[in-house]
Amino acid sequence: MPKVALVTGGNRGIGLGITQALLAEGYAVAILATRPEPTELITELSRSGEVSYVQGSVAELDDHARYVDAALERWGRIDLLVNNAGVAPSVRADILEAEPESFDRVLGINLRGPYFLTQRVAKVMIDQQRPEATAADGAGHAAGQAAPSVRGTIVNVSSTSAVTVSTNRGEYCISKAGVGMATQLWAARLAPEGVLVYEVRPGVIATDMTAGVKDKYDEQFAGGLAPMPRWGTPADVAGAVVQLAAGRMPYSTGEIINVDGGMHIPRL
Ligand SMILES: NC(=O)c1ccc[n+]([C@@H]2O[C@H](COP(=O)([O-])OP(=O)(O)OC[C@H]3O[C@@H](n4cnc5c(N)ncnc54)[C@H](OP(=O)(O)O)[C@@H]3O)[C@@H](O)[C@H]2O)c1
């Protein structure tokens, strides 16, 4: 039986990179995204493992039920939730001018939706059996003392915008700062249940989301935006998710992994 991962927005950009990496690790992957099922892509991904697709919005709580139930019906358990789906504001507007509709849309998709999807999936994880402990789980534990195995893992994809202001997309920054707090909340609440919760914080990653500001960031990378003078890739972010999901850090939760070429390091 494969391990089962839910990856919201797993059909494009960073999410697609995460889907591909998890399939390569032997996971079955359930994707939630808004567009009609991209059948060619799903067929292609299915060559690497089991994939399912639910069309729906992470902002709609009714869609969460369909998404989670479909995965449980097919595979019977959920080992990993990656809250990846997210949007930038449709219009970058100075916070003196920005519209409440954009605030509600961005917060609904980036923060409220994942918060309640986490609530639903956490209950599933709490109710399910811990997988059989492996020899690796026991490493470092005294003889006769069973190492606690991980019952499930939740990874939130936030952003460097959680801690970096952009005054022309305040709602995005606030949504990602909120994801940081949600990570801490869920990590604390789910720790006694054997569910680990982490935050992956990407810097500037080459996807559709950043395609419209490519020239600006090309220039900024050339000017030293990050110690590593290049854009990040979906595979860079996926690598962090795979590491966190591997369960090799069972006594760590609530951690933040920056995937930003060192951009978060204060420099003089
Ligand atoms: N790119 C960056 O530089 C960067 C940096 C930091 C953080 N991030 C974060 O990383 C995540 C992925 O970003 P990306 O760059 O890969 O963006 P992207 O290329 O624009 O892809 C966004 C993905 O999210 C899905 N999505 C959007 N709204 C949704 C909704 N309401 N319900 C379900 N799925 C929805 C999209 O599905 P459809 O195909 O149906 O639209 C798509 O799969 C986001 O949370 C973003 O904030 C990105």
Side-chain angles (χ1 to χ4, degrees):
M1 190 66 179
K3 281 195 165 190
V4 179
L6 266 53
V7 183
T8 64
N11 62 316
R12 282 200 292 126
I14 291 172
L16 177 56
I18 294 169
T19 296
Q20 290 166 327
L22 290 173
L23 287 171
E25 293 292 318
Y27 281 81
V29 178
I31 296 169
L32 174 76
T34 60
R35 66 189 56 205
E37 177 162 344
T39 44
E40 267 181 43
L41 173 70
I42 300 303
T43 305
E44 188 192 316
L45 290 171
S46 299
R47 291 195 193 105
S48 310
E50 295 181 52
V51 187
S52 72
Y53 186 94
V54 169
Q55 182 183 6
S57 172
V58 76
E60 300 296 332
L61 273 50
D62 289 348
D63 292 349
H64 296 178
R66 284 196 298 119
Y67 181 40
V68 170
D69 290 352
L72 288 176
E73 211 164 284
R74 180 158 173 189
W75 292 298
R77 61 180 293 115
I78 299 170
D79 298 284
L80 172 66
L81 166 65
V82 186
N83 283 310
N84 162 77
V87 290
S90 310
V91 179
R92 288 188 174 205
D94 188 300
I95 53 175
L96 283 171
E97 310 298 339
E99 301 283 351
E101 291 74 17
S102 177
F103 190 97
D104 292 345
R105 170 178 172 266
V106 171
L107 271 285
I109 295 171
N110 292 5
L111 181 58
R112 181 179 181 273
Y115 184 79
F116 285 102
L117 180 58
T118 297
Q119 184 189 67
R120 181 175 289 272
V121 172
K123 287 178 181 170
V124 172
M125 288 176 170
I126 289 169
D127 285 346
Q128 73 194 2
Q129 292 262 314
R130 294 173 196 247
E132 289 294 307
T134 65
D137 290 329
H141 284 259
Q145 193 187 358
S149 62
V150 176
R151 189 178 259 158
T153 304
I154 297 172
V155 179
N156 293 326
V157 178
S158 70
S159 167
T160 192
S161 295
V163 290
T164 307
V165 301
S166 298
T167 55
N168 61 356
R169 48 190 177 117
E171 61 274 62
Y172 184 77
C173 298
I174 289 169
S175 73
K176 294 301 184 176
V179 170
M181 175 49 77
T183 304
Q184 303 293 305
L185 284 163
W186 287 116
R189 176 62 187 85
L190 298 178
E193 315 288 355
V195 176
L196 305 176
V197 185
Y198 300 109
E199 177 182 347
V200 168
R201 198 175 272 180
V204 180
I205 312 296
T207 67
D208 293 345
M209 186 179 277
T210 46
V213 281
K214 182 175 181 310
D215 292 347
K216 171 186 152 180
Y217 284 123
D218 279 346
E219 229 172 82
Q220 290 195 1
F221 275 116
L225 176 66
M228 293 185 203
R230 69 164 176 91
W231 286 71
T233 65
D236 288 324
V237 183
V241 173
V242 166
Q243 288 300 324
L244 291 169
R248 295 296 166 97
M249 298 190 294
Y251 199 51
S252 299
T253 191
E255 296 302 323
I256 300 162
I257 304 294
N258 290 285
V259 185
D260 64 353
M263 203 167 88
H264 67 283
I265 302 167
R267 285 166 292 154
L268 201 56

